[in-house]
Amino acid sequence: MLRKYIASFVAVVGIPLVGYTVVGVWFAAEEHRAALIEVQRANAQAAAWRITQFANEIEGQLRWATHLSWNESGADQHRIDALRLLRQVPAITDLTLLDGQGRERLFVSRVSMDRLDTRIDRSSEDAVQAALKNGIHFGPVYFRRDTEPFISVALAATRREAGVVLAEVNLKFTRDVVSQVRVGREGLAYVVDKAGRLIAHPDASLVLRNTDLSSTMRVIDAQPDQSLHRLISMQGEQVLLAQAPAPPMDWRVLVELPQSEADEPWRRALSRSLWITAVSLLVALGFAVVFSWRMVRPIRTLTAGAARIGSGQLDHRIPIDSADEIGQLGHEFNAMAGELERSYATLERKVEQRTQALTDANRAKSRFVAAASHDLRQPLHALNLLVAQLRVETSAAERQRLTLRVESAVASINGLFDGLLDISKLDAGVVHANVTAFPLQQVLDRVEATFAEDAHARGLHLHVRGHGAWVQSDPVLLERILDNLVANALRYTRKGGVLVGCRQRGDHLRVEVWDTGIGIPPEKHQEIFAEFYQVAPAGTLRGEGLGLGLSIVSRLGQLLGHRVALRSSPGRGSCFSITLQQVPPQLRALGLVEADDVPDDPLCGARVLVIDNDEDILESTGGLLRGWGCKALTASCADQALERLGQTAPDLVLADVHLDGGEDGVENVIRLRRHFGRDLPAIVISGDVSQETRTRVAGLGFPLLEKPVAPLRLRTLATRLLRAATRLEGASGPDGSQRARPRCGCPRPVP
């Protein structure tokens, strides 16, 4: 506990301090990066401006060589001007003057023999044509003897008769320009031409080696949105590089700064922050040790005394003299030890009695589950259908007879036995998942329709947020999971409401059920998924379940491969979630029509035959079907059914398996099919849930519903079978061998 207090104290102080340090360093790094970008950009632009000024100065000097036309002065004056220009501009090594017709009149050079009045026609040269068109032309960079970079400059006079001047400029003098650009302590600037060759650098040897930087320029061009580029320099170290264009030669000036020098300021800031944080944490740790020890010492004394009492030394008393809460707790422990000492003599007898009571209760529960599973199915089924009939009954006297108390009792008993049967089927492995792709909204709509009235009756809000995703699951089992979660949420919520929503998690979708109920302690998060476990105190939820819902949810989640999770805290509600695999749009099944898109109710006007040996079930089922708009006929055997049907075949048959006189409902359906010469849609309903019966019914292709049957489940299955039969009839040939039942526009009653 001492460590816990120390850790808590240090965490309270240290977490904000560390957080402040991290945020401060992050902001400092961002500000430093922004400032570095601006500085590097300014350095590159300044260097580019100097290179541009170098070119402008050469252009200005060359214009003096064209101020006289060849008609106004002789060759001597032009030669004097040319020699003066070579002396004033050391970068120019060769100078050629052409007259207005493009003929060479003068050539002076620092390295070659001068030529006078050769009158060689050079008007067709590209440089001359470009200068006459644009006024000035800067040629591409070339290297003499593969060492020194040169550029040809052609300048046309403002007057045509003054001709054109051609100059060969040695670019080694640009080294003085870039050497004057200072970038930090170790940064530098250099120039590359359009082809990516190095033409100016503080290290002249790199230029003389005709260094090719085209690969570096391609990397820079591939990052047009970045102001700074992290690259490896020619010296092999990581640098931050910025660039700027140098018109009109279409060169680029690059400014680089070593990464280590660029990161140095914020690294110093980080080091200072870490030192301050470390010292502060050490001080906090010292205070935490002192104060925690003062708190923990009496607690340790209390713990040691409680351990001795717990080990059987009931005569031991805890020596705590403080008057605070811990002292009061010590006195309570001493009082408890005295009480235990007095009651120890009768403890074993009470434990034995309680154990026997639990054993008897467990045996009673087992006998109840074994005996009630089959015997109560028939009356439960009849009562369930009578309750559904009450919902559509229009007679006031009849509605008074069928009281709401019957419906509530039947619903509670149905829920209890559904849970018991689900657990037994899951344990027996007879439940199989039919995984398919379907829109989740269909399941959400059914969940909302199922529990909206119940939530309203409890004075709660139920909100189901829709979602357009398609998921991969078994829609029936998934609906059962959500039904159990929503029912459980409503059961444990006394005020507020329940929210069902979805969250996107990559290619998965998490369906969550939130409530504002009593909440679940963390130590109970695993126990609530066990059978017969209820988190509420005994007696507070009498008649509202056996504690099987979450156990069913857990087992169905394992069967479907869906992860079931829980977040909850006492007094603040709970959130149960199930994670589903989403279906990409390109893999969704085609041609599926949702129920809301079907304009007609196939039950309306349908002739439905009910075969059962129980009069209450026949009466209640017939009343329920008539409430749905069906023409219901009831019979206790196949002979009676044929007599009442006459020559008209039914649209749907509901048949129990075990009838009076040893008759079999499945065989009755087969006999009716043979009699009318068509595959009549049929639903088999039975209280016999043995594996033999399931296998036989499934082998014949009949859907099986187990008693007690919820009206909504019966209506859903009947609607699906009738709609499928209608599509088959509509697709039959023109001979009319199969009749098509006419559609009707009667309203759809709620079951």
Side-chain angles (χ1 to χ4, degrees), residues 101-128:
Q101 287 75 36
R103 294 172 299 179
E104 182 181 306
R105 301 297 295 274
L106 176 64
F107 172 78
V108 292
S109 174
R110 300 181 189 274
V111 295
S112 302
M113 296 293 296
D114 296 345
R115 298 192 299 269
L116 297 176
D117 206 21
T118 60
R119 298 183 181 270
I120 299 173
D121 186 6
R122 301 180 61 178
S123 60
S124 61
E125 294 183 7
D126 293 339
V128 176

PDB file of all heavy atoms in Angstrom, residues 101-128:
ATOM      1  N   GLN A 101      24.613  43.368 -89.728  1.00  0.00           N
ATOM      2  CA  GLN A 101      24.294  42.257 -90.620  1.00  0.00           C
ATOM      3  C   GLN A 101      24.740  40.920 -90.033  1.00  0.00           C
ATOM      4  O   GLN A 101      24.647  39.881 -90.698  1.00  0.00           O
ATOM      5  CB  GLN A 101      24.987  42.434 -91.982  1.00  0.00           C
ATOM      6  CG  GLN A 101      24.353  43.524 -92.823  1.00  0.00           C
ATOM      7  CD  GLN A 101      24.713  44.915 -92.324  1.00  0.00           C
ATOM      8  OE1 GLN A 101      25.840  45.119 -91.861  1.00  0.00           O
ATOM      9  NE2 GLN A 101      23.771  45.861 -92.410  1.00  0.00           N
ATOM     10  N   GLY A 102      25.218  40.906 -88.786  1.00  0.00           N
ATOM     11  CA  GLY A 102      25.619  39.672 -88.120  1.00  0.00           C
ATOM     12  C   GLY A 102      27.001  39.220 -88.525  1.00  0.00           C
ATOM     13  O   GLY A 102      27.320  38.051 -88.306  1.00  0.00           O
ATOM     14  N   ARG A 103      27.858  40.114 -89.084  1.00  0.00           N
ATOM     15  CA  ARG A 103      29.224  39.723 -89.480  1.00  0.00           C
ATOM     16  C   ARG A 103      30.200  40.063 -88.360  1.00  0.00           C
ATOM     17  O   ARG A 103      30.072  41.085 -87.691  1.00  0.00           O
ATOM     18  CB  ARG A 103      29.627  40.472 -90.751  1.00  0.00           C
ATOM     19  CG  ARG A 103      28.777  40.065 -91.966  1.00  0.00           C
ATOM     20  CD  ARG A 103      29.072  40.954 -93.151  1.00  0.00           C
ATOM     21  NE  ARG A 103      28.765  42.361 -92.863  1.00  0.00           N
ATOM     22  CZ  ARG A 103      28.938  43.357 -93.716  1.00  0.00           C
ATOM     23  NH1 ARG A 103      29.390  43.100 -94.940  1.00  0.00           N
ATOM     24  NH2 ARG A 103      28.643  44.607 -93.366  1.00  0.00           N
ATOM     25  N   GLU A 104      31.152  39.157 -88.178  1.00  0.00           N
ATOM     26  CA  GLU A 104      32.137  39.357 -87.112  1.00  0.00           C
ATOM     27  C   GLU A 104      33.074  40.492 -87.501  1.00  0.00           C
ATOM     28  O   GLU A 104      33.759  40.452 -88.523  1.00  0.00           O
ATOM     29  CB  GLU A 104      32.925  38.065 -86.889  1.00  0.00           C
ATOM     30  CG  GLU A 104      33.945  38.182 -85.755  1.00  0.00           C
ATOM     31  CD  GLU A 104      34.743  36.911 -85.551  1.00  0.00           C
ATOM     32  OE1 GLU A 104      34.112  35.845 -85.373  1.00  0.00           O
ATOM     33  OE2 GLU A 104      35.989  36.987 -85.600  1.00  0.00           O
ATOM     34  N   ARG A 105      33.130  41.517 -86.593  1.00  0.00           N
ATOM     35  CA  ARG A 105      33.995  42.662 -86.864  1.00  0.00           C
ATOM     36  C   ARG A 105      35.160  42.728 -85.880  1.00  0.00           C
ATOM     37  O   ARG A 105      36.183  43.316 -86.200  1.00  0.00           O
ATOM     38  CB  ARG A 105      33.164  43.936 -86.746  1.00  0.00           C
ATOM     39  CG  ARG A 105      31.978  43.988 -87.707  1.00  0.00           C
ATOM     40  CD  ARG A 105      32.455  43.996 -89.174  1.00  0.00           C
ATOM     41  NE  ARG A 105      33.183  45.155 -89.509  1.00  0.00           N
ATOM     42  CZ  ARG A 105      32.645  46.323 -89.927  1.00  0.00           C
ATOM     43  NH1 ARG A 105      31.330  46.403 -90.094  1.00  0.00           N
ATOM     44  NH2 ARG A 105      33.398  47.360 -90.218  1.00  0.00           N
ATOM     45  N   LEU A 106      34.985  42.107 -84.692  1.00  0.00           N
ATOM     46  CA  LEU A 106      36.061  42.186 -83.709  1.00  0.00           C
ATOM     47  C   LEU A 106      35.955  40.997 -82.765  1.00  0.00           C
ATOM     48  O   LEU A 106      34.859  40.652 -82.323  1.00  0.00           O
ATOM     49  CB  LEU A 106      35.979  43.490 -82.912  1.00  0.00           C
ATOM     50  CG  LEU A 106      37.004  43.656 -81.778  1.00  0.00           C
ATOM     51  CD1 LEU A 106      38.431  43.696 -82.336  1.00  0.00           C
ATOM     52  CD2 LEU A 106      36.693  44.918 -80.970  1.00  0.00           C
ATOM     53  N   PHE A 107      37.119  40.384 -82.461  1.00  0.00           N
ATOM     54  CA  PHE A 107      37.192  39.311 -81.485  1.00  0.00           C
ATOM     55  C   PHE A 107      38.411  39.554 -80.610  1.00  0.00           C
ATOM     56  O   PHE A 107      39.533  39.665 -81.128  1.00  0.00           O
ATOM     57  CB  PHE A 107      37.320  37.957 -82.169  1.00  0.00           C
ATOM     58  CG  PHE A 107      37.592  36.827 -81.191  1.00  0.00           C
ATOM     59  CD1 PHE A 107      36.573  36.285 -80.430  1.00  0.00           C
ATOM     60  CD2 PHE A 107      38.887  36.326 -81.019  1.00  0.00           C
ATOM     61  CE1 PHE A 107      36.820  35.250 -79.545  1.00  0.00           C
ATOM     62  CE2 PHE A 107      39.134  35.305 -80.124  1.00  0.00           C
ATOM     63  CZ  PHE A 107      38.097  34.763 -79.390  1.00  0.00           C
ATOM     64  N   VAL A 108      38.184  39.696 -79.276  1.00  0.00           N
ATOM     65  CA  VAL A 108      39.274  39.866 -78.323  1.00  0.00           C
ATOM     66  C   VAL A 108      39.121  38.784 -77.268  1.00  0.00           C
ATOM     67  O   VAL A 108      38.010  38.386 -76.918  1.00  0.00           O
ATOM     68  CB  VAL A 108      39.247  41.265 -77.679  1.00  0.00           C
ATOM     69  CG1 VAL A 108      39.572  42.340 -78.696  1.00  0.00           C
ATOM     70  CG2 VAL A 108      37.904  41.543 -77.023  1.00  0.00           C
ATOM     71  N   SER A 109      40.287  38.330 -76.753  1.00  0.00           N
ATOM     72  CA  SER A 109      40.250  37.214 -75.811  1.00  0.00           C
ATOM     73  C   SER A 109      41.430  37.309 -74.876  1.00  0.00           C
ATOM     74  O   SER A 109      42.465  37.910 -75.202  1.00  0.00           O
ATOM     75  CB  SER A 109      40.296  35.886 -76.573  1.00  0.00           C
ATOM     76  OG  SER A 109      40.393  34.799 -75.672  1.00  0.00           O
ATOM     77  N   ARG A 110      41.204  36.688 -73.690  1.00  0.00           N
ATOM     78  CA  ARG A 110      42.305  36.610 -72.732  1.00  0.00           C
ATOM     79  C   ARG A 110      43.213  35.426 -73.025  1.00  0.00           C
ATOM     80  O   ARG A 110      44.335  35.384 -72.533  1.00  0.00           O
ATOM     81  CB  ARG A 110      41.743  36.444 -71.312  1.00  0.00           C
ATOM     82  CG  ARG A 110      40.848  37.584 -70.856  1.00  0.00           C
ATOM     83  CD  ARG A 110      40.356  37.321 -69.420  1.00  0.00           C
ATOM     84  NE  ARG A 110      39.340  38.285 -69.034  1.00  0.00           N
ATOM     85  CZ  ARG A 110      39.609  39.494 -68.507  1.00  0.00           C
ATOM     86  NH1 ARG A 110      40.869  39.853 -68.325  1.00  0.00           N
ATOM     87  NH2 ARG A 110      38.624  40.302 -68.161  1.00  0.00           N
ATOM     88  N   VAL A 111      42.734  34.432 -73.772  1.00  0.00           N
ATOM     89  CA  VAL A 111      43.502  33.205 -73.957  1.00  0.00           C
ATOM     90  C   VAL A 111      43.797  32.921 -75.439  1.00  0.00           C
ATOM     91  O   VAL A 111      44.527  31.979 -75.728  1.00  0.00           O
ATOM     92  CB  VAL A 111      42.738  32.030 -73.346  1.00  0.00           C
ATOM     93  CG1 VAL A 111      42.635  32.201 -71.839  1.00  0.00           C
ATOM     94  CG2 VAL A 111      41.351  31.881 -73.935  1.00  0.00           C
ATOM     95  N   SER A 112      43.202  33.688 -76.361  1.00  0.00           N
ATOM     96  CA  SER A 112      43.403  33.427 -77.789  1.00  0.00           C
ATOM     97  C   SER A 112      43.838  34.701 -78.499  1.00  0.00           C
ATOM     98  O   SER A 112      43.809  35.815 -77.936  1.00  0.00           O
ATOM     99  CB  SER A 112      42.092  32.912 -78.422  1.00  0.00           C
ATOM    100  OG  SER A 112      41.663  31.748 -77.758  1.00  0.00           O
ATOM    101  N   MET A 113      44.249  34.527 -79.753  1.00  0.00           N
ATOM    102  CA  MET A 113      44.674  35.656 -80.565  1.00  0.00           C
ATOM    103  C   MET A 113      43.467  36.498 -80.962  1.00  0.00           C
ATOM    104  O   MET A 113      42.380  35.970 -81.250  1.00  0.00           O
ATOM    105  CB  MET A 113      45.374  35.155 -81.829  1.00  0.00           C
ATOM    106  CG  MET A 113      46.659  34.392 -81.540  1.00  0.00           C
ATOM    107  SD  MET A 113      47.959  35.454 -80.845  1.00  0.00           S
ATOM    108  CE  MET A 113      48.245  36.588 -82.212  1.00  0.00           C
ATOM    109  N   ASP A 114      43.626  37.807 -80.964  1.00  0.00           N
ATOM    110  CA  ASP A 114      42.541  38.699 -81.377  1.00  0.00           C
ATOM    111  C   ASP A 114      42.344  38.610 -82.880  1.00  0.00           C
ATOM    112  O   ASP A 114      43.272  38.307 -83.637  1.00  0.00           O
ATOM    113  CB  ASP A 114      42.830  40.134 -80.976  1.00  0.00           C
ATOM    114  CG  ASP A 114      42.905  40.302 -79.455  1.00  0.00           C
ATOM    115  OD1 ASP A 114      42.448  39.365 -78.759  1.00  0.00           O
ATOM    116  OD2 ASP A 114      43.397  41.346 -78.994  1.00  0.00           O
ATOM    117  N   ARG A 115      41.094  38.878 -83.326  1.00  0.00           N
ATOM    118  CA  ARG A 115      40.790  38.893 -84.749  1.00  0.00           C
ATOM    119  C   ARG A 115      40.087  40.212 -85.070  1.00  0.00           C
ATOM    120  O   ARG A 115      39.161  40.631 -84.344  1.00  0.00           O
ATOM    121  CB  ARG A 115      39.881  37.721 -85.122  1.00  0.00           C
ATOM    122  CG  ARG A 115      40.486  36.349 -84.881  1.00  0.00           C
ATOM    123  CD  ARG A 115      39.634  35.259 -85.553  1.00  0.00           C
ATOM    124  NE  ARG A 115      38.294  35.208 -85.033  1.00  0.00           N
ATOM    125  CZ  ARG A 115      37.921  34.425 -84.000  1.00  0.00           C
ATOM    126  NH1 ARG A 115      38.814  33.651 -83.406  1.00  0.00           N
ATOM    127  NH2 ARG A 115      36.663  34.433 -83.575  1.00  0.00           N
ATOM    128  N   LEU A 116      40.524  40.843 -86.189  1.00  0.00           N
ATOM    129  CA  LEU A 116      39.956  42.136 -86.586  1.00  0.00           C
ATOM    130  C   LEU A 116      39.299  42.031 -87.951  1.00  0.00           C
ATOM    131  O   LEU A 116      39.886  41.531 -88.899  1.00  0.00           O
ATOM    132  CB  LEU A 116      41.039  43.213 -86.616  1.00  0.00           C
ATOM    133  CG  LEU A 116      41.727  43.531 -85.280  1.00  0.00           C
ATOM    134  CD1 LEU A 116      42.855  44.540 -85.470  1.00  0.00           C
ATOM    135  CD2 LEU A 116      40.692  44.090 -84.305  1.00  0.00           C
ATOM    136  N   ASP A 117      38.087  42.445 -88.007  1.00  0.00           N
ATOM    137  CA  ASP A 117      37.351  42.639 -89.257  1.00  0.00           C
ATOM    138  C   ASP A 117      37.400  41.415 -90.163  1.00  0.00           C
ATOM    139  O   ASP A 117      37.678  41.504 -91.356  1.00  0.00           O
ATOM    140  CB  ASP A 117      37.900  43.876 -89.997  1.00  0.00           C
ATOM    141  CG  ASP A 117      36.838  44.493 -90.903  1.00  0.00           C
ATOM    142  OD1 ASP A 117      35.629  44.222 -90.639  1.00  0.00           O
ATOM    143  OD2 ASP A 117      37.211  45.221 -91.814  1.00  0.00           O
ATOM    144  N   THR A 118      37.112  40.231 -89.605  1.00  0.00           N
ATOM    145  CA  THR A 118      37.085  39.023 -90.434  1.00  0.00           C
ATOM    146  C   THR A 118      35.816  38.953 -91.274  1.00  0.00           C
ATOM    147  O   THR A 118      35.786  38.241 -92.276  1.00  0.00           O
ATOM    148  CB  THR A 118      37.142  37.772 -89.539  1.00  0.00           C
ATOM    149  OG1 THR A 118      36.010  37.768 -88.659  1.00  0.00           O
ATOM    150  CG2 THR A 118      38.420  37.755 -88.704  1.00  0.00           C
ATOM    151  N   ARG A 119      34.753  39.631 -90.830  1.00  0.00           N
ATOM    152  CA  ARG A 119      33.451  39.695 -91.520  1.00  0.00           C
ATOM    153  C   ARG A 119      32.867  38.296 -91.789  1.00  0.00           C
ATOM    154  O   ARG A 119      32.221  38.051 -92.794  1.00  0.00           O
ATOM    155  CB  ARG A 119      33.568  40.484 -92.813  1.00  0.00           C
ATOM    156  CG  ARG A 119      33.970  41.926 -92.599  1.00  0.00           C
ATOM    157  CD  ARG A 119      34.004  42.706 -93.892  1.00  0.00           C
ATOM    158  NE  ARG A 119      34.403  44.063 -93.663  1.00  0.00           N
ATOM    159  CZ  ARG A 119      33.566  45.075 -93.394  1.00  0.00           C
ATOM    160  NH1 ARG A 119      32.259  44.825 -93.339  1.00  0.00           N
ATOM    161  NH2 ARG A 119      34.021  46.288 -93.196  1.00  0.00           N
ATOM    162  N   ILE A 120      33.124  37.410 -90.889  1.00  0.00           N
ATOM    163  CA  ILE A 120      32.489  36.074 -90.981  1.00  0.00           C
ATOM    164  C   ILE A 120      31.008  36.228 -90.628  1.00  0.00           C
ATOM    165  O   ILE A 120      30.652  36.840 -89.618  1.00  0.00           O
ATOM    166  CB  ILE A 120      33.160  35.087 -90.020  1.00  0.00           C
ATOM    167  CG1 ILE A 120      34.649  34.925 -90.394  1.00  0.00           C
ATOM    168  CG2 ILE A 120      32.453  33.731 -90.026  1.00  0.00           C
ATOM    169  CD1 ILE A 120      35.433  34.089 -89.399  1.00  0.00           C
ATOM    170  N   ASP A 121      30.181  35.647 -91.450  1.00  0.00           N
ATOM    171  CA  ASP A 121      28.734  35.777 -91.232  1.00  0.00           C
ATOM    172  C   ASP A 121      28.297  34.799 -90.124  1.00  0.00           C
ATOM    173  O   ASP A 121      28.370  33.589 -90.294  1.00  0.00           O
ATOM    174  CB  ASP A 121      27.973  35.472 -92.513  1.00  0.00           C
ATOM    175  CG  ASP A 121      26.470  35.740 -92.353  1.00  0.00           C
ATOM    176  OD1 ASP A 121      26.064  36.262 -91.276  1.00  0.00           O
ATOM    177  OD2 ASP A 121      25.723  35.437 -93.298  1.00  0.00           O
ATOM    178  N   ARG A 122      27.850  35.350 -89.001  1.00  0.00           N
ATOM    179  CA  ARG A 122      27.413  34.528 -87.860  1.00  0.00           C
ATOM    180  C   ARG A 122      25.948  34.816 -87.493  1.00  0.00           C
ATOM    181  O   ARG A 122      25.487  34.511 -86.409  1.00  0.00           O
ATOM    182  CB  ARG A 122      28.300  34.800 -86.653  1.00  0.00           C
ATOM    183  CG  ARG A 122      29.773  34.503 -86.933  1.00  0.00           C
ATOM    184  CD  ARG A 122      30.647  34.761 -85.738  1.00  0.00           C
ATOM    185  NE  ARG A 122      30.287  33.933 -84.598  1.00  0.00           N
ATOM    186  CZ  ARG A 122      30.956  33.958 -83.438  1.00  0.00           C
ATOM    187  NH1 ARG A 122      32.009  34.761 -83.295  1.00  0.00           N
ATOM    188  NH2 ARG A 122      30.574  33.184 -82.446  1.00  0.00           N
ATOM    189  N   SER A 123      25.266  35.403 -88.472  1.00  0.00           N
ATOM    190  CA  SER A 123      23.877  35.797 -88.189  1.00  0.00           C
ATOM    191  C   SER A 123      22.942  34.586 -88.000  1.00  0.00           C
ATOM    192  O   SER A 123      21.880  34.707 -87.397  1.00  0.00           O
ATOM    193  CB  SER A 123      23.330  36.679 -89.316  1.00  0.00           C
ATOM    194  OG  SER A 123      23.367  35.955 -90.560  1.00  0.00           O
ATOM    195  N   SER A 124      23.306  33.426 -88.516  1.00  0.00           N
ATOM    196  CA  SER A 124      22.425  32.250 -88.399  1.00  0.00           C
ATOM    197  C   SER A 124      22.630  31.481 -87.102  1.00  0.00           C
ATOM    198  O   SER A 124      21.903  30.516 -86.840  1.00  0.00           O
ATOM    199  CB  SER A 124      22.683  31.316 -89.591  1.00  0.00           C
ATOM    200  OG  SER A 124      24.041  30.870 -89.587  1.00  0.00           O
ATOM    201  N   GLU A 125      23.579  31.866 -86.287  1.00  0.00           N
ATOM    202  CA  GLU A 125      23.797  31.144 -85.040  1.00  0.00           C
ATOM    203  C   GLU A 125      22.597  31.337 -84.106  1.00  0.00           C
ATOM    204  O   GLU A 125      21.966  32.398 -84.078  1.00  0.00           O
ATOM    205  CB  GLU A 125      25.077  31.637 -84.364  1.00  0.00           C
ATOM    206  CG  GLU A 125      26.331  31.303 -85.158  1.00  0.00           C
ATOM    207  CD  GLU A 125      27.596  31.740 -84.437  1.00  0.00           C
ATOM    208  OE1 GLU A 125      27.470  32.181 -83.263  1.00  0.00           O
ATOM    209  OE2 GLU A 125      28.683  31.639 -85.019  1.00  0.00           O
ATOM    210  N   ASP A 126      22.314  30.288 -83.319  1.00  0.00           N
ATOM    211  CA  ASP A 126      21.149  30.305 -82.417  1.00  0.00           C
ATOM    212  C   ASP A 126      21.244  31.426 -81.404  1.00  0.00           C
ATOM    213  O   ASP A 126      20.247  32.097 -81.089  1.00  0.00           O
ATOM    214  CB  ASP A 126      21.020  28.964 -81.693  1.00  0.00           C
ATOM    215  CG  ASP A 126      20.677  27.831 -82.652  1.00  0.00           C
ATOM    216  OD1 ASP A 126      20.156  28.123 -83.750  1.00  0.00           O
ATOM    217  OD2 ASP A 126      20.920  26.657 -82.286  1.00  0.00           O
ATOM    218  N   ALA A 127      22.427  31.640 -80.846  1.00  0.00           N
ATOM    219  CA  ALA A 127      22.576  32.678 -79.823  1.00  0.00           C
ATOM    220  C   ALA A 127      22.272  34.050 -80.415  1.00  0.00           C
ATOM    221  O   ALA A 127      21.621  34.880 -79.764  1.00  0.00           O
ATOM    222  CB  ALA A 127      23.997  32.643 -79.254  1.00  0.00           C
ATOM    223  N   VAL A 128      22.743  34.297 -81.658  1.00  0.00           N
ATOM    224  CA  VAL A 128      22.500  35.595 -82.298  1.00  0.00           C
ATOM    225  C   VAL A 128      21.014  35.774 -82.566  1.00  0.00           C
ATOM    226  O   VAL A 128      20.435  36.842 -82.294  1.00  0.00           O
ATOM    227  CB  VAL A 128      23.326  35.706 -83.599  1.00  0.00           C
ATOM    228  CG1 VAL A 128      23.009  37.004 -84.324  1.00  0.00           C
ATOM    229  CG2 VAL A 128      24.812  35.620 -83.285  1.00  0.00           C
TER     230      VAL A 128
END
